[in-house]
Amino acid sequence: MKKLLVFFVCALLTTGLYAAITGSGHDFTALGWSGGEICLPCHTPHNAKVAPDDLVPLWNHDVTAAVFTVYSSPTGTLDAVGLGQPAGVSKACLSCHDGTVALDAYGANVPVPNMIGGVYDLGTDLSNDHPISFTYDTALSVADGELFDPAADPSGLGGTIGNDLLFAGQLECASCHDVHNTAAVASLLVKSNAASALCLTCHDK
């Protein structure tokens, strides 16, 4: 398994993924603290850290220990059950975007710290952000009545919503955001949101 993960990281360096990251919001080479490395602040081929829920290959960044205020519906009608603390790949994202972990807190680095800022700092209050780390399945789509069925309905990316956008059946930050910028869409989205196309992938409006 570890050989497969090493292959995955090496593949990032030899395919279009590397080129897609170059110049994107996740290219830190111009900031002076990444040592000219693009992949290393997040991934490493050796001595990786324990990844959030082991969903992130060869993770190299410090993982947030923050306790988050999560989304709750102002109408009290949220159909998603088990909405708890961010997990999986979302916890990896928040290990920079929560504003409590330094951008340069990776590998054996002692961070300066260089903290994320502006609109990219989500903080630990996620109550006004789209809910994450919840199960999005057929049962939820039926209970809600205005969600497409992730097991059957297309994502617009070649497969179903479940296959292309969910992580172990969960909706996470990376369900909407393409951290490697492979789609080359503004705001590192997995696909364009022109005319709300990304939102309407899941929301039946």
Side-chain angles (χ1 to χ4, degrees):
M1 181 66 177
K2 191 163 186 177
K3 287 182 179 178
L4 179 62
L5 295 178
V6 171
F7 172 80
F8 173 83
V9 172
C10 292
L12 291 178
L13 300 175
T14 58
T15 67
L17 290 179
Y18 180 85
I21 295 171
T22 302
S24 77
H26 284 157
D27 179 356
F28 306 120
T29 55
L31 300 181
W33 51 260
S34 74
E37 298 282 353
I38 291 181
C39 300
L40 199 60
C42 294
H43 301 284
T44 182
H46 302 290
N47 302 312
K49 299 177 185 289
V50 176
D53 293 351
D54 292 326
L55 291 177
V56 185
L58 296 173
W59 190 243
N60 196 36
H61 201 277
D62 288 0
V63 178
T64 181
V67 176
F68 296 88
T69 302
V70 299
Y71 179 85
S72 61
S73 172
T75 64
T77 58
L78 186 65
D79 293 305
V81 294
L83 188 62
Q85 290 293 300
V89 293
S90 292
K91 198 165 185 180
C93 300
L94 289 166
S95 293
C96 283
H97 288 278
D98 73 347
T100 73
V101 182
L103 294 171
D104 53 352
Y106 69 91
N109 282 359
V110 176
V112 172
N114 289 301
M115 308 303 289
I116 202 165
V119 297
Y120 308 109
D121 179 2
L122 299 177
T124 59
D125 183 356
L126 305 180
S127 62
N128 63 347
D129 296 289
H130 193 289
I132 53 172
S133 299
F134 66 89
T135 298
Y136 177 17
D137 57 11
T138 302
L140 177 61
S141 68
V142 172
D144 183 274
E146 294 186 337
L147 290 173
F148 289 111
D149 182 354
D153 288 306
S155 68
L157 298 172
T160 64
I161 295 167
N163 286 338
D164 293 341
L165 300 179
L166 303 185
F167 295 81
Q170 304 274 305
L171 189 134
E172 306 288 359
C173 298
S175 296
C176 295
H177 292 281
D178 172 11
V179 298
H180 295 122
N181 197 37
T182 51
V185 176
S187 300
L188 298 175
L189 296 178
V190 296
K191 69 182 202 181
S192 171
N193 197 35
S196 299
L198 177 56
C199 301
L200 294 173
T201 300
C202 298
H203 294 273
D204 185 6
K205 299 292 186 183

